[in-house]
Amino acid sequence: MEKRTCNRVPLKRSNVDKFKTILRSGQYRTTHQGFALDVHGCLIDGQHRAAAIIETGAVVTAQVTYNLSPDSFAAIDGGRVRSAGDFVAQLTDMRQSNSNVYAAALKILANRANGLPWTRWTSGKLTAERLQELIPLWPVDEANIVRLISKGKQCHASATGLIVAYKLITEVWPEHIADLFFDGIGEASREFVGRDPRALYTNTMINVNRGVVSRDSIQQSAQAIKAFNALISGESIGTLKKMKASGVKILRDRRTGKEIQQEYLADRYPDVVQPAINISNKWLGAMGTDPSAESL
């Protein structure tokens, strides 16, 4: 257990307590499931059993497998116990709470890259092998994840949605330009006057979500992009409406009075405004036009 630092899956007390009950009742049996160590001697499977044995002082006979490749972790209990966040934590050394948010953002980004409509960006499950491919494609520093989680709490908005919006915006703009928006939302938006898009985004999220942090990641990522576009372009936006999914609406023919079903497509997910524009100083003041400004 002292050499389990490579295993980033946190101990779950419910699992440890389950094994402790089995040990104390004498129901433990030796099976093919025991302990697995990689070539570095790191315990990559069996940590809950090991913790229960230590805490109860029980003596057991167990199967132990040595010298596995560290990559074997990805295949152990992959479809049963470990979540995508667990695998991301193991691959990145992030805290579990941060890796869960990051893993959810990676799923959305991957589905978007695969050409799925935004209504399906949260569908499916990522394997450990797939996550190993996605993390280098959309890297996010843990400190930045912590910052966006904090901003999400201040806005009552989805941290996953903010991460998605951040990655989409920084595909087009440098990070220091994206930060003009993300640093200004949440509590920092109080310093802005008028209809500054950063304050509008913050107030919209707070009012719509009514004091509870929302998990509506796709919608809020789109709203963040719309607000960023307005900030950079110097536009005024009245509201930040949600995108509508596809559906059917009932119309009444004025001449015949008959009801007609009319299908409509889902709203289009917004594109990030391109850098071809000159950054407006309407909301940003001198920072929007002066390249020597410290924040730029």
Side-chain angles (χ1 to χ4, degrees), residues 127-168:
T127 64
E129 290 80 6
R130 182 63 174 142
L131 286 166
Q132 287 177 313
E133 300 171 358
L134 297 179
I135 290 171
L137 290 177
W138 293 290
V140 184
D141 182 79
E142 185 170 18
N144 200 13
I145 293 176
V146 171
R147 176 185 67 144
L148 294 175
I149 290 174
S150 175
K151 291 292 184 180
K153 291 179 179 178
Q154 294 168 21
C155 295
H156 303 160
S158 163
T160 296
L162 290 178
I163 293 173
V164 170
Y166 189 88
K167 294 308 295 182
L168 297 185

Side-chain angles (χ1 to χ4, degrees), residues 9-10 40 44 47 51 119 149 173 185 195 219 233 239 248 260 293:
V9 179
H40 306 294
I44 60 176
Q47 60 176 343
T119 52
I149 290 174
W173 292 87
I185 62 176
R195 301 192 66 80
Q219 294 284 359
S233 305
T239 58
V248 177
I260 304 172

Side-chain angles (χ1 to χ4, degrees), residues 169-175 177-178 228 232 272-277 279:
I169 290 171
T170 53
E171 287 179 354
V172 180
W173 292 87
E175 291 185 358
I177 300 296
F228 171 82
I232 297 300
V272 178
V273 66
Q274 295 297 307
I277 69 165
I279 298 177

Side-chain angles (χ1 to χ4, degrees), residues 24-283:
R24 286 170 175 159
S25 64
Q27 296 178 333
Y28 187 91
R29 298 292 183 269
T30 302
T31 70
H32 66 289
Q33 287 185 299
F35 305 95
L37 294 88
D38 67 12
V39 292
H40 306 294
C42 176
L43 181 65
I44 60 176
D45 190 33
Q47 60 176 343
H48 291 92
R49 285 182 285 272
I53 290 169
I54 291 170
E55 293 180 17
T56 59
V59 177
V60 303
T61 299
Q63 180 80 23
V64 181
T65 303
Y66 297 91
N67 297 320
L68 288 174
S69 166
D71 294 339
S72 300
F73 175 88
I76 297 172
D77 289 339
R80 182 176 58 86
V81 176
R82 291 173 171 83
S83 66
D86 294 332
F87 288 121
V88 169
Q90 190 269 337
L91 293 167
T92 63
D93 289 342
M94 286 185 184
R95 290 175 58 91
Q96 185 73 32
S97 56
N98 301 330
S99 69
N100 288 339
V101 177
Y102 183 29
L106 287 173
K107 179 192 290 185
I108 292 171
L109 291 167
N111 285 337
R112 169 182 173 268
N114 288 335
L116 295 181
W118 63 262
T119 52
R120 294 179 56 197
W121 284 359
T122 57
S123 62
K125 182 177 181 180
L126 296 176
T127 64
E129 290 80 6
R130 182 63 174 142
L131 286 166
Q132 287 177 313
E133 300 171 358
L134 297 179
I135 290 171
L137 290 177
W138 293 290
V140 184
D141 182 79
E142 185 170 18
N144 200 13
I145 293 176
V146 171
R147 176 185 67 144
L148 294 175
I149 290 174
S150 175
K151 291 292 184 180
K153 291 179 179 178
Q154 294 168 21
C155 295
H156 303 160
S158 163
T160 296
L162 290 178
I163 293 173
V164 170
Y166 189 88
K167 294 308 295 182
L168 297 185
I169 290 171
T170 53
E171 287 179 354
V172 180
W173 292 87
E175 291 185 358
H176 63 276
I177 300 296
D179 287 341
L180 294 174
F181 173 75
F182 289 95
D183 285 346
I185 62 176
E187 295 176 357
S189 69
R190 295 174 183 173
E191 65 183 78
F192 305 128
V193 296
R195 301 192 66 80
D196 187 295
R198 292 165 290 192
L200 181 63
Y201 179 83
T202 299
N203 294 332
T204 298
M205 296 300 102
I206 290 175
N207 293 334
V208 170
N209 299 324
R210 302 184 182 277
V212 179
V213 174
S214 171
R215 295 184 179 181
D216 199 351
S217 303
I218 310 301
Q219 294 284 359
Q220 290 170 25
S221 67
Q223 290 166 308
I225 288 174
K226 291 177 183 178
F228 171 82
N229 289 345
L231 179 72
I232 297 300
S233 305
E235 297 176 355
S236 295
I237 46 178
T239 58
L240 285 170
K241 295 181 179 179
K242 288 186 175 183
M243 299 176 295
K244 293 181 180 179
S246 60
V248 177
K249 59 182 177 181
I250 306 298
L251 301 177
R252 186 177 296 278
D253 190 305
R254 293 182 179 180
R255 293 176 301 174
T256 65
K258 293 183 178 180
E259 292 185 345
I260 304 172
Q261 290 188 345
Q262 184 179 71
E263 295 185 8
Y264 57 90
L265 300 177
D267 289 344
R268 187 170 177 269
Y269 190 84
D271 292 324
V272 178
V273 66
Q274 295 297 307
I277 69 165
N278 293 320
I279 298 177
S280 171
N281 64 355
K282 178 175 181 179
W283 306 115

